[in-house]
């Protein structure tokens, strides 16, 4: 199967930027969609963005449109989340996810994701 490992989290001031990475290994050929979720303390897990790996189409949660960019490097089997103009409310544990399920693009990924990384902490100070 697929294994995922996030990296790139850390602490930044409001308005700063971070780039998260997610290295995929194992049966990466089976992945149809990948994406990012986050979970802040005391809140439910929230879907952030999806990329359909075959056609590299992307969809974002409204709260991050224009500030976050999801992308992939097929040669390196790596997913990225470029986060700009960070806000304190973006503080959360960020998780990379993947799925081979046939219906997974866009917002469908929120339900379809079934392979998860360990998470990487993002802290944005005011």
């Amino acid at each position: 199967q697929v294994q995922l490992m996030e990296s790139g989290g850390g602490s930044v001031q409001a308005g700063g930027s971070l780039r998260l990475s997610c290295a995929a290994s194992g049966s990466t050929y089976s992945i149809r969609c990948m994406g990012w979720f986050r979970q802040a303390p005391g809140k439910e897990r929230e879907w952030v963005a999806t990329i359909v790996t075959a056609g590299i189409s992307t969809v974002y949660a409204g709260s991050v449109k224009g500030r976050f960019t999801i992308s992939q490097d097929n040669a390196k089997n790596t997913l990225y989340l470029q986060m700009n103009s960070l806000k304190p409310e973006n503080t959360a544990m960020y998780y990379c996810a993947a799925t081979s399920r046939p219906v997974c693009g866009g917002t469908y990924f929120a339900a379809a994701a079934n392979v998860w990384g360990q998470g990487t902490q993002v802290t944005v100070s005011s």
Side-chain angles (χ1 to χ4, degrees), residues 33-36 47-52 56-66 68-71 81 104-110:
C33 299
M34 298 188 73
W36 294 91
W47 166 77
V48 174
T50 305
I51 185 166
V52 180
I56 61 171
S57 61
T58 58
V59 179
Y60 299 88
S63 60
V64 306
K65 286 181 180 178
F68 289 14
T69 302
I70 186 171
S71 62
L81 185 68
C104 60
T107 58
Y108 293 103
F109 188 73

Side-chain angles (χ1 to χ4, degrees), residues 1-121:
Q1 258 295 355
V2 175
Q3 296 82 46
L4 305 174
M5 183 68 69
E6 302 98 330
S7 62
S11 298
V12 298
Q13 293 186 329
S17 298
L18 282 174
R19 191 187 196 193
L20 306 183
S21 298
C22 173
S25 60
S27 303
T28 58
Y29 64 89
S30 68
I31 297 173
R32 293 180 182 269
C33 299
M34 298 188 73
W36 294 91
F37 293 81
R38 64 188 178 191
Q39 187 166 27
K43 295 186 178 180
E44 294 184 342
R45 185 178 60 203
E46 176 189 23
W47 166 77
V48 174
T50 305
I51 185 166
V52 180
T53 56
I56 61 171
S57 61
T58 58
V59 179
Y60 299 88
S63 60
V64 306
K65 286 181 180 178
R67 298 189 300 116
F68 289 14
T69 302
I70 186 171
S71 62
Q72 64 184 24
D73 185 331
N74 290 330
K76 298 180 179 179
N77 293 128
T78 301
L79 179 75
Y80 302 99
L81 185 68
Q82 178 67 46
M83 305 185 294
N84 298 326
S85 302
L86 283 163
K87 306 173 182 179
E89 55 263 42
N90 299 146
T91 294
M93 185 72 76
Y94 282 71
Y95 297 91
C96 174
T99 186
S100 60
R101 291 171 173 171
V103 180
C104 60
T107 58
Y108 293 103
F109 188 73
N114 57 0
V115 179
W116 299 85
Q118 85 289 351
T120 185
Q121 178 67 39

